[in-house]
Amino acid sequence: GENVEQHPSTLSVQEGDSAVIKCTYSDSASNYFPWYKQELGKRPQLIIDIRSNVGEKKDQRIAVTLNKTAKHFSLHITETQPEDSAVYFCAASISPRTDKLIFGTGTRLQVFP
Amino acid sequence: DGGITQSPKYLFRKEGQNVTLSCEQNLNHDAMYWYRQDPGQGLRLIYYSQIVNDFQKGDIAEGYSVSREKKESFPLTVTSAQKNPTAFYLCATLGRGDTQYFGPGTRLTVL
């Protein structure tokens, strides 16, 4: 079955710097890759997703890149702000209407003012 | 995900006791999921249901049971067979475009 590895487990950056979180997946059939942000004690919220037919997607300060050959995808946050501090999870699944998402173990991002 | 409610927010269980966590949705989504989250770990799938009156085991189903009698409801029972149930439980539904939406969660603690 699918396995998703996520690195680093913790990441500390200065406000204004960029942050990069990387994930690798094992099943080459996976074609849908969402990223979730979870603040302390709250529910995970989708922040961006990408499908295997594109290599990059941007939404303001957030971008995701996908390398299908190497089976890895990354989240890039530019101009980080203290409110970006949270745990970020990557996931992978086989679309359409897949049974389940396989999640990475999460990255705790701390942005210091 | 404002259309997904979970209750209670906090739940305390005594040893040997069964407890049921509620998950209700008004999004008209067919598929629903239950995840368990432990500190410092990702989300692990317990059970999922793609349609009413049908459900499948996830990766960690032992000690849990579910039912799906109505489209809007997918309750999870944590049985006494689950030896380490203290965790944060999240319910989710599957919307358009394969996006999963999460409820606010229930924090279960064993006394």
Side-chain angles (χ1 to χ4, degrees):
Chain A
E2 174 67 281
N3 182 52
V4 176
E5 294 189 357
Q6 183 172 347
H7 299 282
S9 57
T10 60
L11 180 59
S12 297
V13 299
Q14 205 73 32
E15 182 177 2
D17 288 349
S18 295
V20 180
I21 303 170
K22 299 181 180 180
C23 289
T24 60
Y25 60 98
S26 59
D27 191 340
S28 58
S30 292
N31 58 2
Y32 174 64
F33 307 94
W35 285 89
Y36 286 85
K37 175 184 180 182
Q38 187 179 28
E39 298 178 358
L40 190 62
K42 301 287 183 65
R43 74 187 82 189
Q45 301 258 16
L46 180 73
I47 55 172
I48 196 167
D49 56 13
I50 192 169
R51 299 186 183 276
S52 59
N53 58 346
V54 297
E56 184 176 5
K57 184 177 179 180
K58 287 184 179 179
D59 184 3
Q60 299 182 350
R61 296 186 298 108
I62 294 173
V64 57
T65 58
L66 172 65
N67 183 327
K68 287 189 293 182
T69 303
K71 290 191 283 187
H72 67 70
F73 56 111
S74 300
L75 178 71
H76 305 253
I77 306 174
T78 59
E79 301 172 25
T80 54
Q81 301 167 3
E83 50 265 39
D84 294 329
S85 297
V87 178
Y88 292 81
F89 292 97
C90 63
S93 72
I94 301 171
S95 177
R97 309 301 296 179
T98 186
D99 292 336
K100 54 186 179 180
L101 286 172
I102 305 301
F103 284 87
T105 50
T107 296
R108 181 173 298 280
L109 174 64
Q110 289 186 297
V111 180
F112 293 98
Chain B
D1 46 44
I4 305 171
T5 58
Q6 290 186 242
S7 62
K9 186 174 181 178
Y10 299 97
L11 185 58
F12 299 92
R13 192 194 93 167
K14 295 181 181 179
E15 294 280 352
Q17 191 177 42
N18 291 357
V19 291
T20 297
L21 284 59
S22 169
C23 178
E24 303 280 331
Q25 56 109 353
N26 63 4
L27 302 169
N28 200 34
H29 290 166
D30 289 317
M32 298 184 73
Y33 304 79
W34 274 106
Y35 292 91
R36 169 180 171 143
Q37 187 175 32
D38 293 283
Q41 296 194 31
L43 285 71
R44 293 185 291 168
L45 184 64
I46 304 172
Y47 268 98
Y48 62 102
S49 168
Q50 293 181 292
I51 199 167
V52 175
N53 293 322
D54 187 49
F55 49 82
Q56 287 80 41
K57 292 182 179 180
D59 301 317
I60 56 166
E62 186 175 351
Y64 300 97
S65 65
V66 294
S67 63
R68 188 82 187 278
E69 297 176 1
K70 300 186 300 181
K71 187 175 187 177
E72 301 79 17
S73 179
F74 190 39
L76 173 74
T77 296
V78 184
T79 74
S80 57
Q82 171 49 242
K83 297 306 178 187
N84 186 23
T86 295
F88 189 45
Y89 290 86
L90 287 157
C91 176
T93 68
L94 183 66
R96 288 186 177 183
D98 300 307
T99 300
Q100 285 197 18
Y101 299 94
F102 288 87
T106 291
R107 192 166 298 279
L108 173 63
T109 302
V110 174
L111 301 175

